[in-house]
Amino acid sequence: MKIKNKFALYNFIMLITPIILIGVISVCFLIIFILKYPVEELNITRASMIDPFIFSQALGEFFKNNPGAVCYAVLWAVICIVLIVTSTTVTTRLLTRSIEGSITDLSRAAESIRSGNLDFEVMGSDYDEIDTLCTSFDAMRKELKYANEREKYMKKERSMLLANISHDLKTPITSIKGYIEGIRDGVASTPEKMSRYLDTVYAKAEAIDDMVNNLSIFSKLELSRLTFNFEQSDFNSFLRNFIEGYKIDFEKNGIRFTDNISDTNAPVKIDYEKLGRVFSNIIDNAVKYGDTSEPSIEISTFISDGGVYACVGDNGIGISPDELKNVFEGFYRVDSSRSIKGSGLGLGIVKQIVEKHGGKIWLKSEGVGKGTTAVVYLPTIGG
Ligand code: ADP
């Protein structure tokens, strides 16, 4: 109910209640009065009713002859006054209490928020205006709670990211130091040993370089500082050309490759370098986490839902359903793949690049040991 209507209702109650009560009391008093006092002595004629002077004279005469009736009339007047005062006080009290209740709830809620407690619910009110205020207040509390949780999550993520970066950098650095010490101490005594040591040091330095590059791209993407140069092009031609360079590697590594790239024209906006990074990461993963005895990779595309889908499937170690969405977080690595070389940054970068192209990426897997398919969806221009 609107505050205005509630006030009008209470004003009406405030007016009608004393009228009814006084009416009832007066009727009772009048009956007793008529029974108790000789009212015929009042001698009220039509003329005296019209003329207030004659009427008051008749009344004065009556009360002079019946002094008890004066006390009776005074008692009636006092009771009427008490009734008026009591009913208005009670009605006003009820009205203020109902408004006070809602306002007290709101100020208690504000106090809770000020002291950092956001785990409560702001209850509604009978008054429309206060109810709207309560709803907005509760929405603000929920927003604050979400922002708090997000901040806590981000803090935890930042700490984990730092811990992971330092761990992933420290491992190859420790190893480089070990090999260099070996060279200094003369452990690499033969030219072959020396060459092996130097190759390892070089490989570790390359791993650090890769990691720093990935970190730099990852943070630039997070801060939206990576510039994209989009061109309109046929996605299927792009992918076909791109995997051409992989075919020799597949053959060399004994990977059975199935090419099911559609011939249909699929115009999309492409940043060649960045989208190349996406597919090289996905294909590298399919090779890295693929089956070791009979590796097989299938790349297919099809057009649907106003865009083009590209699927890269392997028959490798697979991923359990609850890990599927985590793999896009920076530094996340599924336990079963920890023994395989990787930083856990690749898919985090891939996801952001695909999203910058207006698309989506997800992984599908029937479970551990059942292979994985990476699906990239890109909207086609005019699709
Ligand atoms: P990494 O450098 O570790 O490969 P990614 O971000 O590319 O980092 O992948 C994150 C994690 O997702 C991997 O460590 C692996 O656990 C899992 N993953 C990605 N692709 C596959 C795949 N094709 N099959 C199985 N697991 C995969």
Side-chain angles (χ1 to χ4, degrees), residues 214 281-282 284-290 312 314 316-319 323 326-338 340-350 363 365 371-374:
N214 275 343
N281 192 285
I282 294 174
D284 286 350
N285 280 352
V287 173
K288 264 198 299 185
Y289 305 111
V312 179
D314 65 61
I317 60 170
I319 308 176
E323 304 251 37
N326 298 333
V327 295
F328 293 99
E329 286 168 21
F331 288 104
Y332 191 87
R333 307 202 68 214
V334 178
D335 271 345
S336 55
S337 64
R338 291 223 175 259
I340 303 163
K341 186 176 152 257
S343 66
L345 268 177
L347 287 181
I349 293 173
V350 160
L363 294 192
S365 175
T372 308
T373 301

Side-chain angles (χ1 to χ4, degrees), residues 144-156:
L144 273 172
K145 191 172 170 190
Y146 175 73
N148 267 5
E149 277 162 8
R150 179 102 199 116
E151 199 187 312
K152 268 189 214 153
Y153 173 78
M154 294 303 278
K155 262 190 194 160
K156 200 173 140 211

